[in-house]
Amino acid sequence: MTSIILLSIFGIINLFVGFMKSKRILLPLSLLFLAVVFGANLFSWNEAQSYFNHMLTIDNYAVAFTGIMVLATLLLLPFSQHYIEEANENLAEFYSLLLFSLVGAIMMVSYENMLMLFIGIEILSIAMYVLAGSDKRRLRSNEAALKYFLMGAFFTGVLLFGIVLIYGATGSFYLTDIAATAAVNDGTVNAMFTLGLLLLVIGISFKISAAPFHFWAPDVYEGTPTLFTSYMSTVVKIAGVAAFYKLMAAAFAASYAAWFPTLIAITVLTLVVGNIGAVVQTNFKRMLAYSSVSHAGYLLMALVAFNERSDASILFYSLSYALATIVAFAVLQYVSEQRNGDETYAAFNGLGKTNPLLAFAMTVAMCSLSGIPLTAGFFGKLFVFTAVVQDARLMWLVVVAVLMAAVGIYYYFKVVIAMYMQPAADAAKIRIGSFASFMLIFITVFTILLGIAPALVSDLL
Amino acid sequence: MNQIPDIIRTIPLNYYLYFSTALFIIGVIGVLIRRNAIVIFMCVELMLNAVNLLLTAIASYRADTNGQVFVFFIMAVAAAEVCVGLAIIVMTYRNTRSTDVQLLNNLKW
């Protein structure tokens, strides 16, 4: 709760700081704010408490996911230097919107009532619609914002209709009451309940860009300014998956048989579409968009397993995925800026010679995303797969996922090959600020550290 | 609000359910087949209003105020969405001189 209040206040302070002439203070100030929130959040560990008439509960699950999301924002902000140098007139608003949307993300991982889930999703999404279109003069950014907005509003309607049908069947918005009603009625109360559950699953699947509701993701991710794409594919996705798991575990555990077939179909389709779609891309940013679809598939696998290991494996996977994705987008940002907005694989040619640091950080990130040992991504996949094989009937799902991970290695290593094997097209060295390079080193070391000692995070929940 | 007024009972709850579902489906079809961004947006609002209607009907029949409070939240959020959405449509219009979503096809594989 303190983190929600602090973030709201800090967001408003940021807006006022925007009146000052010099914008240089905004970045350090926002980083300081996020660090304070990260620290304040930790005080709620092991001290579960309910707020707003039990509509929000800050328990260990909420604290852990809040921590990861705040950390992800903290790590991706230093790469916003590019906006400061261009003296963007709306800089303060961008930082404030990021802080405000984090409030929505925190509500999504700590809700106990459907109302809070809805409001959390909307606080997060409405801020993201604005940020997607923040590059006002570029048509690509306009198009991304419009697509994201129209599709987002449409699926919010679907989600709401699901909530209403569940309310009609059970008479409550509280997760515990819904679970109690479902438990005494054999998991499926009536047709209204089943249909409502299906619409809820569709609504949230859209938010985490799971196939077949992923069609917006590649377009929106490509058109959005890279910094906000990075936020979208880490924080928004983590919040969505955490909310999804919480919804299923707290309200629909008894209805497992009703949602399991739908969810397993969505998971398999997401894995296949995400990975195959990524193979054919020539644009690196678009490839990352498909890759984020495929990672939604791996995260959903932990949800499909639905046992005591699910939450811990979702937590670890989210962290490893967020670290690697932030690095990938940060390096892309530097490279495409140097190469006049070129975002294809060819833009990375010869980066290993001109900028060894950027190339090394990118290589570790790609290894982590594809799940090579000694990086965090390996243990992320391992935990998810071991959670799934607890149920012997789901063995085939692991086989599909491993095959898809093998496909993943192919497209992730395309960029590594471009960096080290291809001759440089433009031999100029890319200039990076010392703080940004420190952050790159920090994230890389953290990724490798988690790949050696995963127990640091995996035993938290 | 423990007593359900008789005037509400004269129409069975199922009728509200069918009517709201019909409105909702009209909205969904509108989103899928129309090409003008503003009309699509109006269809989304139609979907949200179908939800509001059903919420109030169910809340009345169950004599439970929670559902009606939810309607206020949906209205407030929908208003915020309208602000952002119309701003985005205006911004796009300035660049393309059109609100036809078919023209926006720069991003595809």
Side-chain angles (χ1 to χ4, degrees), chain A residues 126 149, chain B residues 41 45 48 75-89:
Chain A
I126 292 180
F149 167 72
Chain B
F41 192 35
E45 290 298 312
L48 292 184
M75 283 176 174
V77 168
E81 242 176 22
V82 170
C83 290
V84 170
L86 288 183
I88 290 173
I89 293 174

Side-chain angles (χ1 to χ4, degrees), chain A residues 70-81:
Chain A
V70 173
L71 183 70
T73 319
L74 191 63
L75 293 178
L76 65 86
L77 269 193
F79 306 111
S80 61
Q81 201 72 30

Side-chain angles (χ1 to χ4, degrees), chain A residues 201-324:
Chain A
V201 168
I202 291 176
I204 300 188
S205 297
F206 168 84
K207 297 291 172 198
I208 60 173
S209 70
F213 313 106
H214 71 288
F215 47 84
W216 59 278
D219 294 356
V220 171
Y221 281 26
E222 191 186 342
T224 305
T226 309
L227 179 71
F228 304 128
T229 315
S230 166
Y231 184 83
M232 225 184 253
S233 63
T234 53
V235 174
V236 177
K237 184 152 297 191
I238 293 171
V241 173
F244 206 171
Y245 179 74
K246 177 151 185 154
L247 184 69
M248 290 314 180
F252 298 113
S255 324
Y256 183 74
W259 54 262
F260 178 72
T262 320
L263 204 64
I264 203 156
I266 291 178
T267 308
V268 173
L269 205 59
T270 308
L271 283 172
V272 173
V273 169
N275 282 298
I276 304 295
V279 168
V280 295
Q281 302 304 325
T282 50
N283 183 318
F284 182 70
K285 199 168 168 187
R286 215 170 162 79
M287 182 280 276
L288 281 179
Y290 274 100
S291 127
S292 95
V293 172
S294 77
H295 285 281
Y298 295 117
L299 284 163
L300 281 179
M301 276 177 72
L303 215 165
V304 164
F306 207 60
N307 51 34
E308 70 285 350
R309 291 180 177 213
S310 292
D311 50 357
S313 54
I314 291 177
L315 182 78
F316 191 87
Y317 200 98
S318 309
L319 180 61
S320 68
Y321 165 71
L323 291 176

Side-chain angles (χ1 to χ4, degrees), chain A residues 440-459:
Chain A
L440 271 180
I441 295 169
F442 174 76
I443 301 175
T444 308
V445 169
F446 197 26
T447 305
I448 296 174
L449 184 69
L450 283 179
I452 296 166
L456 287 176
V457 175
S458 66
D459 292 346

Side-chain angles (χ1 to χ4, degrees), chain A residues 81-407:
Chain A
Q81 201 72 30
H82 144 86
Y83 287 97
I84 299 172
E85 282 167 3
E86 284 186 1
N88 196 314
E89 55 186 353
N90 297 325
L91 195 64
E93 284 83 347
F94 295 159
Y95 286 134
S96 299
L97 279 174
L98 283 181
L99 296 185
F100 288 143
S101 67
L102 259 182
V103 173
I106 293 173
M107 285 167 76
M108 279 170 76
V109 298
S110 52
Y111 68 99
E112 284 293 329
N113 185 306
M114 294 289 197
L115 180 60
M116 285 292 147
L117 171 67
F118 166 65
I119 295 185
I121 287 182
E122 286 303 292
I123 293 177
L124 183 65
S125 304
I126 292 180
M128 289 321 295
Y129 302 149
V130 178
L131 292 177
S134 59
D135 202 348
K136 285 182 290 199
R137 284 173 198 83
R138 255 173 70 240
L139 196 56
R140 288 207 316 174
S141 180
N142 291 175
E143 186 181 335
L146 190 62
K147 276 184 177 162
Y148 192 30
F149 167 72
L150 287 177
M151 289 293 106
F154 175 69
F155 279 93
T156 301
V158 173
L159 180 91
L160 273 175
F161 204 67
I163 291 177
V164 176
L165 290 182
I166 300 267
Y167 172 62
T170 61
S172 177
F173 293 116
Y174 282 97
L175 300 186
T176 45
D177 292 351
I178 294 171
T181 315
V184 295
N185 286 300
D186 208 18
T188 49
V189 182
N190 49 28
M192 207 166 154
F193 183 85
T194 317
L195 183 63
L197 183 53
L198 181 69
L199 291 179
L200 261 181
V201 168
I202 291 176
I204 300 188
S205 297
F206 168 84
K207 297 291 172 198
I208 60 173
S209 70
F213 313 106
H214 71 288
F215 47 84
W216 59 278
D219 294 356
V220 171
Y221 281 26
E222 191 186 342
T224 305
T226 309
L227 179 71
F228 304 128
T229 315
S230 166
Y231 184 83
M232 225 184 253
S233 63
T234 53
V235 174
V236 177
K237 184 152 297 191
I238 293 171
V241 173
F244 206 171
Y245 179 74
K246 177 151 185 154
L247 184 69
M248 290 314 180
F252 298 113
S255 324
Y256 183 74
W259 54 262
F260 178 72
T262 320
L263 204 64
I264 203 156
I266 291 178
T267 308
V268 173
L269 205 59
T270 308
L271 283 172
V272 173
V273 169
N275 282 298
I276 304 295
V279 168
V280 295
Q281 302 304 325
T282 50
N283 183 318
F284 182 70
K285 199 168 168 187
R286 215 170 162 79
M287 182 280 276
L288 281 179
Y290 274 100
S291 127
S292 95
V293 172
S294 77
H295 285 281
Y298 295 117
L299 284 163
L300 281 179
M301 276 177 72
L303 215 165
V304 164
F306 207 60
N307 51 34
E308 70 285 350
R309 291 180 177 213
S310 292
D311 50 357
S313 54
I314 291 177
L315 182 78
F316 191 87
Y317 200 98
S318 309
L319 180 61
S320 68
Y321 165 71
L323 291 176
T325 309
I326 289 168
V327 170
F329 278 113
V331 174
L332 170 68
Q333 207 169 315
Y334 286 115
V335 169
S336 76
E337 205 177 321
Q338 172 89 356
R339 311 272 197 270
N340 299 322
D342 185 4
E343 286 164 351
T344 57
Y345 287 112
F348 289 88
N349 284 355
L351 194 68
K353 288 206 184 62
T354 54
N355 284 73
L357 173 66
L358 283 182
F360 179 69
M362 187 65 142
T363 310
V364 172
M366 289 297 123
C367 288
S368 185
L369 282 175
S370 52
I372 306 278
L374 288 183
T375 56
F378 171 71
F379 281 103
K381 284 207 171 59
L382 186 71
F383 291 146
V384 169
F385 292 170
T386 46
V388 174
V389 292
Q390 300 264 308
D391 187 348
R393 287 169 305 159
L394 290 176
M395 197 62 207
W396 61 274
L397 181 61
V398 177
V399 174
V400 172
V402 169
L403 283 177
M404 287 301 141
V407 174

